[in-house]
Amino acid sequence: MRAKKVITIHVKDDVEKEEFMKELQRLRLPAFIYVHGKLNSLKINVQGTKDDIREAIRKIREIHNRVRTKLYPDKRGLYHYTIDDLLREARTSVSTPIIIKTLELLGEKVELSGDELVTSLPWSETVELVEKLGDALSEIALQTTRQIREVAVPVSVAFNVPPEEVLEKLVELGLAEWKEDKFKYELIKNKEQALEELLKALTGDADED
């Protein structure tokens, strides 16, 4: 037996409305959904079986919550993003450690909670950052190991240095080498040590002890 229910979603501004509608359009549900927009609210007409409607409304509210947590900071001034949302919006694939390390190098607050990235950097700027990381990664992906990428890519984007130059700097500092048999750059030192020494060299602290 088919039924229908109308729910109202309140939004603060056009940005929230657009983000919510974008997410809603990605939903694949057995229930039929019709949306009527007003100034600060969206009336959503959901039709289907009672179970379909219940499931649709649960997912709609879940989406709205995700949109609000990524657009508006919490009490600590931090935003909450799912990694999948970020990568999909940036249209790229970058490992979570690379994203986290770059945010740290930029001086942003960042933590990982399950598959949720919690950071002080607003949504649009985080998406732009991940796009840059994807571009840098694509330039050196074929000639590097995962370990060296997790050092070179964050440094490249955070310091605005071409990724190839970062690799050359790692070799120059004796932190990495080119493996002829593998056609790849590899770290000689461990990742943390390599990053620490590279940062000292880039910030002019190499001779200070």
Side-chain angles (χ1 to χ4, degrees):
M1 183 176 173
R2 295 184 70 79
K4 74 172 182 178
K5 185 166 184 177
V6 178
I7 62 170
T8 300
I9 297 290
H10 295 283
V11 293
K12 288 186 181 179
D13 52 33
D14 286 343
V15 175
E16 183 181 340
K17 189 183 291 184
E18 286 167 19
E19 285 291 334
F20 174 76
M21 288 302 297
K22 192 160 52 177
E23 291 293 332
L24 191 63
Q25 285 163 9
R26 291 191 179 114
L27 268 187
R28 293 290 177 266
L29 294 168
F32 172 77
I33 295 175
Y34 171 76
V35 182
H36 176 66
K38 289 189 176 180
L39 189 61
N40 292 315
S41 65
L42 295 165
K43 285 198 177 298
I44 304 175
N45 188 318
V46 188
Q47 299 179 19
T49 67
K50 285 186 177 180
D51 286 343
D52 290 346
I53 290 172
R54 193 179 301 115
E55 175 68 5
I57 289 173
R58 183 185 68 79
K59 289 193 173 181
I60 288 166
R61 296 203 186 284
E62 188 180 273
I63 281 173
H64 190 219
N65 184 60
R66 279 209 339 258
V67 167
R68 291 182 75 86
T69 58
K70 79 182 183 185
L71 291 181
Y72 311 118
D74 61 18
K75 291 176 182 176
R76 295 185 296 159
L78 303 178
Y79 302 88
H80 297 245
Y81 316 131
T82 66
I83 298 293
D84 285 347
D85 281 352
L86 256 182
L87 298 179
R88 184 174 61 227
E89 190 70 20
R91 297 181 181 181
T92 190
S93 182
V94 180
S95 74
T96 304
I98 286 177
I99 298 171
I100 290 173
K101 183 51 67 179
T102 310
L103 286 164
E104 287 174 350
L105 291 177
L106 290 169
E108 298 292 342
K109 291 180 181 176
V110 59
E111 57 193 55
L112 190 66
S113 176
D115 69 340
E116 193 174 69
L117 189 74
V118 185
T119 179
S120 53
L121 194 66
W123 170 249
S124 60
E125 293 174 50
T126 308
V127 171
E128 187 180 337
L129 180 69
V130 174
E131 287 173 352
K132 288 179 182 176
L133 290 172
D135 290 343
L137 183 62
S138 66
E139 287 186 38
I140 62 170
L142 296 177
Q143 65 200 65
T144 51
T145 61
R146 179 179 59 82
Q147 290 282 327
I148 199 169
R149 286 196 291 271
E150 290 182 4
V151 174
V153 174
V155 169
S156 169
V157 172
F159 286 83
N160 198 25
V161 178
E164 285 278 4
E165 287 185 25
V166 178
L167 293 178
E168 290 168 9
K169 191 70 176 174
L170 284 165
V171 172
E172 179 191 317
L173 293 168
L175 303 170
E177 63 183 10
W178 173 255
K179 297 286 189 180
E180 287 286 354
D181 55 333
K182 299 177 183 175
F183 299 102
K184 287 184 187 294
Y185 286 97
E186 286 186 1
L187 288 179
I188 298 170
K189 304 271 181 93
N190 68 52
K191 191 171 62 176
E192 290 73 21
Q193 191 177 355
L195 181 62
E196 183 182 348
E197 292 189 31
L198 176 62
L199 291 175
K200 279 183 181 178
L202 289 173
T203 55
D205 296 334
D207 298 320
E208 293 180 17
D209 269 320

